[in-house]
Amino acid sequence: MQFTALTWNVFHGRDFPPDPALRTWRSRLLRIEERNETHVQVNRELLPEFCALLREAEWDVALLQECPPRFAAPLARACGAEWHRALTSRNSFGSLRALLARRNPDLMASAEGGSNLTLVRVPGRLGGIAERREATIHEGAPERRAMAFTRTASGVCIVNLHATAHEPEAAAADVLRAAQLARRWAGDAPLVFGGDFNLRPGRDPAPFARLREGFGLTGATAPGAIDHLLARGLQRVGEPFAWPPERRELPHEGRALRLSDHAPVEARFRRAEPSA
């Protein structure tokens, strides 16, 4: 059995044009659309655009970080998927936050609240979701971080996490804590361990060495990458790769609307069939 996994930090459902001159306070405060010759900054609700992009992409399981909690059910419906959501931080008064974020996504930004959302397509190669678990992997300052552990009906387990930003030591502790929980919960089952680690193998090699030697998790994306799909008990079909920027762009009145400040990372795996 082969399947494709995707991990993507969706930037709280916002767009992110490559030209910094378009990311203005005028747009952020007044919701005025900014344009140059190639791209646009819109500062509006982009749930339909995220639904469209993910619906058309080829994947069996998608691991999303910085996902507005209200996106979970609509994204799952659009993609023909079952979903598992682990709330992260800033989720008190969720209905009010969601209302304000719909009106001005860029002004609310991460203040809307976030989640790690795992989508498993059904019917599909992984057979839907058989078990859901969540755990806090970082409590306190700078903010709470969580992981989602999903066991699919096929037996393959998925861990989706977003580690602490801008603090490599804290991020490493988050990732290793998640790996320990994943080993306990998955047992001997095949495991995909992915998300936004906020760790670059070229700069912070020690955590990746510990993940490899202590947990059998291998397959970092690239030396400078922070989004990864590591695996254990699965054969990798080709190397993981980040999408080129154009693949997360949608047409908008003759210009491009680029979703998120992260590129999705894709990897394909093969699971050996059990012997008769």
Side-chain angles (χ1 to χ4, degrees):
M1 178 191 74
Q2 292 191 19
F3 66 93
T4 299
L6 190 76
T7 186
W8 190 18
N9 182 319
V10 299
F11 193 48
H12 296 279
R14 299 156 59 202
D15 62 329
F16 192 81
D19 181 359
L22 298 183
R23 304 194 292 272
T24 66
W25 276 104
R26 183 175 75 158
S27 172
R28 189 171 186 181
L29 294 174
L30 304 177
R31 299 184 62 194
I32 294 173
E33 192 170 287
E34 305 283 11
R35 296 165 173 254
N36 63 14
E37 294 300 315
T38 59
H39 288 82
V40 62
Q41 162 76 20
V42 297
N43 189 15
R44 62 169 170 80
E45 171 80 327
L46 291 174
L47 176 58
E49 285 78 3
F50 278 91
C51 284
L53 190 74
L54 284 167
R55 181 179 61 243
E56 297 304 317
E58 294 185 6
W59 48 267
D60 299 287
V61 58
L63 290 65
L64 309 181
Q65 304 84 42
E66 290 191 9
C67 186
R70 61 191 171 88
F71 277 29
L75 283 174
R77 285 194 299 270
C79 297
E82 294 181 349
W83 56 278
H84 177 198
R85 182 185 66 194
L87 298 178
T88 52
S89 61
R90 304 183 183 96
N91 283 299
S92 59
F93 306 103
S95 297
L96 176 59
R97 291 175 184 270
L99 175 63
L100 295 173
R102 288 189 183 97
R103 293 183 176 180
N104 193 325
D106 285 348
L107 187 60
M108 281 297 287
S110 63
E112 178 180 1
S115 71
N116 300 327
L117 178 67
T118 302
L119 301 173
V120 180
R121 275 186 157 147
V122 289
R125 296 178 179 89
L126 296 176
I129 295 177
E131 179 186 4
R132 297 169 173 87
R133 296 193 188 192
E134 301 89 36
T136 300
I137 56 173
H138 183 91
E139 196 69 82
E143 62 183 4
R144 179 179 182 272
R145 299 285 177 164
M147 64 171 262
F149 173 90
T150 309
R151 189 185 303 273
T152 67
S154 70
V156 175
C157 296
I158 311 294
V159 166
N160 181 4
L161 67 112
H162 185 192
T164 297
H166 313 303
E167 298 183 18
E169 290 186 5
D174 295 347
V175 170
L176 293 170
R177 188 173 296 116
Q180 291 169 350
L181 286 168
R183 179 171 59 186
R184 184 191 313 164
W185 290 347
D188 295 329
L191 175 65
V192 174
F193 184 89
D196 180 350
F197 292 8
N198 276 311
L199 291 170
R200 293 173 169 83
R203 185 184 302 172
D204 305 294
F208 292 90
R210 290 187 64 184
L211 289 169
R212 181 180 63 253
E213 296 162 6
F215 302 94
L217 292 163
T218 61
T221 304
I226 62 173
D227 302 294
H228 302 282
L229 287 164
L230 308 185
R232 182 201 72 186
L234 294 162
Q235 295 178 329
R236 196 174 294 273
V237 182
E239 295 299 318
F241 63 93
W243 285 13
E246 296 77 15
R247 281 192 68 181
R248 70 180 199 275
E249 293 181 343
L250 296 172
H252 179 81
E253 299 177 358
R255 292 170 175 80
L257 174 68
R258 182 176 295 184
L259 301 182
S260 182
D261 61 341
H262 286 236
V265 168
E266 182 177 322
R268 190 160 180 83
F269 301 97
R270 179 187 295 116
R271 182 185 181 186
E273 298 295 338
S275 56

